[in-house]
Amino acid sequence: MPVIARDIMSAPVRTLRPEQSLAEARDQLTRHGHGAMPVVESSSGQLVGIISRRDLDVALHHGFAAAPVRNFMTATVLSVGPAAPLAEIEQLMVIYDIGRVPVVVEGKPIGIITRTDLIRQHYQERTSSLPLFRSVDERLERQLSPRAREALLQVSKSADALGLVAYLVGGAVRDLLLDRTSEDLDVVVEGRTGEAGVAVQLARRIAEEDITVRFEAFEKYQTASLSWPDGFVLDLATARTEFYPRPGANPEVESASIRLDLYRRDFTINALAICLNGPRAWQLIDFFGGAIDLSNRLVRVLHPNSFIEDPTRIFRAVRFALKLGFTIAPQTETFIVRSVSGGLHDLYGGERLRTELLYLLAAPFWLEALLCLDRLQALRCIHPQLHLDNRLRSGLEWLSGISLPLKVPAAQLRLERLLLAVGPEAAWKLPLDGAARQRIEKVRSLCPELPRWADRSAPALHRQLADWSPEAVLLLASLEEEPQREHLLLYLGLREQPRLLNGKDLKELGFKAGPTFRAILEAAFAAQLAGTLQTREEAIDWVRERYL
């Protein structure tokens, strides 16, 4: 089936109104990254013109910021219908030297096609015969479970019935092309005219056709989830685009085309899709060269401002590179250094950064990740003065070599050790639970006193640290030099041994419950730590001699 305008247009169309000011028009073009926008009447939605960024810039340069768009728009607009062949669209662009053609139905724009859309379509047609693109069917058959393939077929049939287009996107596609098994499937649903909520519409249709499927909708986010009785889960999202009002802020989301949906993703290798139905069913969709970057084993961002908009992508770039055995593209490294060098993300903090840090610190390549982030000067996103110097590295490696059973994950302890390497305010820039904050504050308050501790015996340490958790003691030890660490580690090991005496023993000796109970038990345990007491009988005799 030949490709027509509807298949490659971007939708929904971002439009302006004739009465809007040029200053407002410039803001809209900047927000959406467009070179031009159609102008439509507010009441009827009829296309009445188009205005380009170039025309705007000239008018603004001459001081017409408050003037209405209608005074500077091009009123004669060449357009096509949704069934127009690509040859007709190309002819319009070449003959009339225009960069974009609106797609209209009854005078109302439902989409727009740019020169870039045409070039990408031709590229797609040329590369579809390459082995990587041609083998999509085989890879799906070989690497997905029968259950996953059956679910995708259900999606395909239902999307066809509703006139929607569904795509398998993201990490699952990347892993398929890398011959890695992936059952974590995400589907993006595109409406023919970019309407909102189509993912919920499709998921509901699938659930209606198969009563065994559990359907859950999230209307606010235009997403849905399908759960089958065997535990298989499929997440569906409406194709959308994002705008970041300021660096590091949560994005504002609007429904969009699949191309814009993929463009908002972090790296080209994660901006791949497989079309599940329609004219391009079971074809690989690659608008941004992600397949080539997979072949070259590169992690590359889609645009220069990617790290400015979302600094957590810096940490994901490092994680993906180390996890997949890839290299961060040189230009992408330059973008990272540029985005952090001016201090834009200093003390950025937030839940998303904490999550990415814990992902990195839990990975087997956590040290390589920190070294890479330090080389890129990106640790300053945690704190401007944070660097992986020899002392910090030594403390982190020592912590990671401890084999004691702990209640706190190793990644969390590594994160707390990083925060202890800088000023106290850093601990409060990341959302930490109460226990973590208490550990950091305890260690930070006691650390200055450590050099003055002449007696490092187990009983002496116990007098200072009896109420400390093992994790807090280990963090304290990681701040010390090698010989002193071992004293604390030895104490911690001795402290974990079963106590020779308990409260029941004291009651049998005739003591009444009260404040002296704890003092006697702690004194007996201190003697046990020193090696003076080794059996229960010795401990009972010891208490009789001293307290009865």
Side-chain angles (χ1 to χ4, degrees), residues 65-344:
V69 167
R70 67 164 55 90
N71 291 359
F72 292 88
M73 71 184 187
T74 299
T76 303
V77 184
L78 297 173
S79 61
V80 297
L86 298 194
E88 178 184 335
I89 302 166
E90 287 180 337
Q91 186 178 38
L92 286 176
M93 288 184 172
V94 172
I95 292 176
Y96 296 100
D97 190 27
I98 52 178
R100 56 200 51 80
V101 175
V103 182
V104 300
V105 173
E106 297 179 353
K108 298 178 181 179
I110 63 167
I112 195 163
I113 297 172
T114 67
R115 287 193 185 117
T116 302
D117 293 326
L118 285 175
I119 292 170
R120 291 193 189 284
Q121 178 59 33
H122 288 313
Y123 169 77
Q124 189 82 29
E125 292 171 356
R126 288 199 309 274
T127 56
S128 62
S129 60
L130 297 176
L132 187 64
F133 289 75
R134 196 172 57 242
S135 62
V136 168
D137 280 351
E138 299 171 10
R139 292 173 186 273
L140 288 168
E141 183 74 23
R142 183 174 66 245
Q143 291 164 236
L144 290 183
S145 68
R147 187 71 202 79
R149 295 198 301 273
E150 181 184 347
L152 293 182
L153 282 173
Q154 283 184 271
V155 170
S156 173
K157 292 176 182 177
S158 297
D160 273 336
L162 292 172
L164 305 174
V165 186
Y167 301 85
L168 181 66
V169 299
V173 181
R174 179 198 69 225
D175 290 344
L176 284 170
L177 298 181
L178 291 174
D179 292 321
R180 297 159 65 104
T181 301
S182 178
E183 292 294 293
D184 184 13
L185 307 184
D186 293 309
V187 170
V188 163
V189 186
E190 179 187 46
R192 292 296 188 183
T193 58
E195 60 266 33
V198 290
V200 176
Q201 183 183 352
L202 176 57
R204 184 178 286 112
R205 172 66 175 256
I206 294 170
E208 289 172 352
E209 294 175 345
D210 184 352
I211 60 173
T212 68
V213 177
R214 181 173 174 268
F215 162 69
E216 190 173 5
F218 307 95
E219 302 279 359
K220 178 181 178 181
Y221 303 103
Q222 301 184 37
T223 62
S225 178
L226 295 173
S227 305
W228 279 261
D230 59 5
F232 184 80
V233 177
L234 193 64
D235 293 319
L236 297 91
T238 302
R240 59 196 189 273
T241 186
E242 295 175 343
F243 174 75
Y244 290 83
R246 62 185 182 280
N250 289 327
E252 297 174 5
V253 178
E254 299 175 358
S255 58
S257 64
I258 184 63
R259 185 174 69 81
L260 291 176
D261 187 277
L262 295 175
Y263 185 68
R264 72 183 176 83
R265 296 173 186 265
D266 46 13
F267 310 110
T268 59
I269 58 173
N270 294 332
L272 295 160
I274 295 174
C275 188
L276 300 178
N277 68 300
R280 294 183 287 180
W282 314 112
Q283 290 183 19
L284 179 66
I285 308 298
D286 180 13
F287 293 116
F288 311 109
I292 294 174
D293 287 339
L294 280 178
S295 299
N296 294 332
R297 307 184 72 78
L298 286 177
V299 174
R300 180 169 62 86
V301 287
L302 278 76
H303 56 88
N305 293 322
S306 182
F307 299 118
I308 293 176
E309 291 179 342
D310 185 359
T312 62
R313 289 174 178 164
I314 298 170
F315 297 83
R316 289 204 297 276
V318 172
R319 177 159 58 89
F320 279 122
L322 292 171
K323 176 184 176 181
L324 300 174
F326 283 21
T327 301
I328 299 176
Q331 183 69 72
T332 296
E333 284 202 354
T334 301
F335 292 152
I336 292 174
V337 173
R338 186 194 68 181
S339 72
V340 300
S341 61
L344 182 65

Side-chain angles (χ1 to χ4, degrees), residues 21-81:
S21 70
L22 294 185
E24 291 174 322
R26 176 194 55 198
D27 291 343
Q28 287 297 308
L29 286 169
T30 301
R31 174 189 178 97
H32 298 292
H34 292 345
M37 269 192 186
V39 184
V40 300
E41 286 290 355
S42 302
S43 57
S44 65
Q46 293 286 309
L47 179 65
V48 295
I50 193 167
I51 189 165
S52 70
R53 180 179 290 276
R54 181 180 180 280
D55 293 336
L56 267 176
D57 289 341
V58 172
L60 291 169
H61 176 72
H62 290 289
F64 291 100
V69 167
R70 67 164 55 90
N71 291 359
F72 292 88
M73 71 184 187
T74 299
T76 303
V77 184
L78 297 173
S79 61
V80 297

Side-chain angles (χ1 to χ4, degrees), residues 335-396:
F335 292 152
I336 292 174
V337 173
R338 186 194 68 181
S339 72
V340 300
S341 61
L344 182 65
H345 303 313
D346 287 3
L347 299 177
Y348 162 59
E351 179 64 35
R352 296 172 66 206
L353 176 61
R354 186 187 75 90
T355 300
E356 284 300 329
L357 275 172
L358 289 176
Y359 279 144
L360 270 182
L361 295 172
F365 47 76
W366 66 269
L367 181 56
E368 291 91 333
L370 290 178
L371 288 168
C372 183
L373 289 168
D374 193 45
R375 177 176 61 81
L376 296 171
Q377 306 169 41
L379 289 178
R380 68 180 297 164
C381 291
I382 305 171
H383 191 278
Q385 278 77 53
L386 182 59
H387 296 287
L388 192 64
D389 57 25
N390 290 335
R391 184 183 179 192
L392 176 55
R393 177 175 177 175
S394 172
L396 287 166

